[in-house]
Short mmCIF file of all heavy atoms in Angstrom, two decimals:
data_model
loop_
_atom_site.label_atom_id
_atom_site.label_comp_id
_atom_site.label_asym_id
_atom_site.label_seq_id
_atom_site.Cartn_x
_atom_site.Cartn_y
_atom_site.Cartn_z
N VAL C 139 17.09 -8.47 21.82
CA VAL C 139 17.32 -9.10 20.51
C VAL C 139 17.48 -7.99 19.45
O VAL C 139 18.38 -8.03 18.61
CB VAL C 139 16.16 -10.05 20.14
CG1 VAL C 139 16.31 -10.57 18.73
CG2 VAL C 139 16.08 -11.19 21.15
N CYS C 140 16.61 -7.00 19.50
CA CYS C 140 16.65 -5.93 18.50
C CYS C 140 17.90 -5.07 18.68
O CYS C 140 18.51 -4.64 17.68
CB CYS C 140 15.39 -5.09 18.57
SG CYS C 140 13.93 -6.02 18.04
N LEU C 141 18.29 -4.78 19.91
CA LEU C 141 19.51 -4.00 20.15
C LEU C 141 20.73 -4.75 19.61
O LEU C 141 21.64 -4.13 19.04
CB LEU C 141 19.67 -3.73 21.65
CG LEU C 141 18.76 -2.63 22.19
CD1 LEU C 141 18.67 -2.70 23.72
CD2 LEU C 141 19.25 -1.25 21.75
N GLN C 142 20.71 -6.06 19.76
CA GLN C 142 21.83 -6.86 19.23
C GLN C 142 21.88 -6.77 17.70
O GLN C 142 22.95 -6.64 17.11
CB GLN C 142 21.65 -8.31 19.68
CG GLN C 142 22.74 -9.23 19.15
CD GLN C 142 22.46 -10.70 19.41
OE1 GLN C 142 21.76 -11.06 20.35
NE2 GLN C 142 23.03 -11.55 18.58
N ILE C 143 20.71 -6.81 17.08
CA ILE C 143 20.64 -6.69 15.62
C ILE C 143 21.21 -5.34 15.19
O ILE C 143 22.01 -5.26 14.26
CB ILE C 143 19.18 -6.87 15.15
CG1 ILE C 143 18.72 -8.30 15.34
CG2 ILE C 143 19.01 -6.43 13.70
CD1 ILE C 143 17.22 -8.54 15.18
N LEU C 144 20.78 -4.28 15.86
CA LEU C 144 21.27 -2.94 15.51
C LEU C 144 22.77 -2.85 15.71
O LEU C 144 23.51 -2.27 14.90
CB LEU C 144 20.56 -1.87 16.35
CG LEU C 144 19.07 -1.67 16.09
CD1 LEU C 144 18.49 -0.64 17.05
CD2 LEU C 144 18.81 -1.25 14.63
N LYS C 145 23.25 -3.42 16.82
CA LYS C 145 24.66 -3.36 17.15
C LYS C 145 25.50 -4.00 16.06
O LYS C 145 26.57 -3.50 15.68
CB LYS C 145 24.90 -4.07 18.49
CG LYS C 145 26.24 -3.82 19.11
CD LYS C 145 26.34 -4.58 20.43
CE LYS C 145 27.75 -4.53 21.01
NZ LYS C 145 27.86 -5.45 22.16
N GLU C 146 25.00 -5.11 15.53
CA GLU C 146 25.75 -5.78 14.46
C GLU C 146 25.80 -4.95 13.18
O GLU C 146 26.62 -5.21 12.30
CB GLU C 146 25.15 -7.17 14.21
CG GLU C 146 25.79 -8.19 15.17
CD GLU C 146 25.01 -9.48 15.32
OE1 GLU C 146 24.12 -9.73 14.51
OE2 GLU C 146 25.33 -10.24 16.25
N LYS C 147 24.89 -3.98 13.07
CA LYS C 147 24.94 -3.04 11.96
C LYS C 147 25.69 -1.77 12.33
O LYS C 147 25.69 -0.81 11.55
CB LYS C 147 23.52 -2.65 11.53
CG LYS C 147 22.58 -3.81 11.26
CD LYS C 147 23.01 -4.63 10.05
CE LYS C 147 22.07 -5.80 9.87
NZ LYS C 147 22.41 -6.64 8.71
N GLY C 148 26.29 -1.75 13.52
CA GLY C 148 27.06 -0.59 13.94
C GLY C 148 26.26 0.53 14.59
O GLY C 148 26.78 1.63 14.77
N ILE C 149 25.01 0.25 14.93
CA ILE C 149 24.14 1.30 15.50
C ILE C 149 24.06 1.13 17.01
O ILE C 149 23.81 0.04 17.51
CB ILE C 149 22.75 1.20 14.86
CG1 ILE C 149 22.85 1.39 13.35
CG2 ILE C 149 21.80 2.25 15.48
CD1 ILE C 149 21.60 0.99 12.59
N THR C 150 24.29 2.23 17.73
CA THR C 150 24.27 2.20 19.18
C THR C 150 23.08 3.00 19.72
O THR C 150 22.80 4.08 19.24
CB THR C 150 25.58 2.88 19.72
OG1 THR C 150 26.68 2.11 19.27
CG2 THR C 150 25.58 2.95 21.24
N VAL C 151 22.42 2.45 20.73
CA VAL C 151 21.32 3.14 21.40
C VAL C 151 21.74 3.34 22.85
O VAL C 151 22.23 2.39 23.49
CB VAL C 151 20.02 2.32 21.32
CG1 VAL C 151 18.88 3.03 22.06
CG2 VAL C 151 19.63 2.01 19.89
N ALA C 152 21.57 4.54 23.37
CA ALA C 152 21.90 4.78 24.77
C ALA C 152 21.02 5.87 25.33
O ALA C 152 20.62 6.80 24.62
CB ALA C 152 23.36 5.16 24.93
N THR C 153 20.76 5.75 26.63
CA THR C 153 19.83 6.67 27.31
C THR C 153 20.42 7.14 28.63
O THR C 153 21.04 6.35 29.34
CB THR C 153 18.50 5.92 27.58
OG1 THR C 153 17.90 5.61 26.33
CG2 THR C 153 17.55 6.76 28.41
N HIS C 154 20.24 8.41 28.92
CA HIS C 154 20.58 8.88 30.26
C HIS C 154 19.38 9.52 30.93
O HIS C 154 18.39 9.87 30.27
CB HIS C 154 21.79 9.84 30.25
CG HIS C 154 21.50 11.20 29.70
ND1 HIS C 154 21.63 12.35 30.45
CD2 HIS C 154 21.11 11.61 28.49
CE1 HIS C 154 21.33 13.41 29.70
NE2 HIS C 154 21.03 12.99 28.51
N ILE C 155 19.46 9.62 32.26
CA ILE C 155 18.40 10.28 33.01
C ILE C 155 18.69 11.78 32.91
O ILE C 155 19.52 12.32 33.64
CB ILE C 155 18.40 9.81 34.48
CG1 ILE C 155 18.24 8.28 34.53
CG2 ILE C 155 17.28 10.49 35.26
CD1 ILE C 155 18.35 7.69 35.92
N ALA C 156 18.00 12.44 31.99
CA ALA C 156 18.27 13.86 31.76
C ALA C 156 17.79 14.71 32.92
O ALA C 156 18.35 15.78 33.18
CB ALA C 156 17.59 14.29 30.45
N ALA C 157 16.77 14.23 33.58
CA ALA C 157 16.26 14.95 34.75
C ALA C 157 15.52 13.97 35.64
O ALA C 157 14.93 13.00 35.16
CB ALA C 157 15.30 16.07 34.32
N CYS C 158 15.63 14.25 36.95
CA CYS C 158 14.92 13.40 37.92
C CYS C 158 14.70 14.27 39.16
O CYS C 158 15.64 14.89 39.66
CB CYS C 158 15.74 12.16 38.26
SG CYS C 158 15.01 11.14 39.55
N ALA C 159 13.49 14.30 39.63
CA ALA C 159 13.18 15.05 40.85
C ALA C 159 13.68 16.48 40.75
O ALA C 159 14.14 17.05 41.73
CB ALA C 159 13.79 14.34 42.06
N GLY C 160 13.61 17.06 39.57
CA GLY C 160 14.01 18.45 39.41
C GLY C 160 15.50 18.67 39.23
O GLY C 160 15.96 19.80 39.03
N ILE C 161 16.28 17.59 39.26
CA ILE C 161 17.73 17.72 39.09
C ILE C 161 18.09 17.34 37.66
O ILE C 161 17.66 16.31 37.15
CB ILE C 161 18.47 16.80 40.08
CG1 ILE C 161 18.10 17.23 41.51
CG2 ILE C 161 19.97 16.83 39.84
CD1 ILE C 161 18.06 16.08 42.47
#
Side-chain angles (χ1 to χ4, degrees):
Chain C
V139 173
C140 292
L141 283 163
Q142 179 189 334
I143 290 168
L144 292 177
K145 194 179 171 189
E146 273 162 13
K147 308 294 177 179
I149 301 166
T150 298
V151 179
T153 295
H154 73 118
I155 303 175
C158 175
I161 299 147

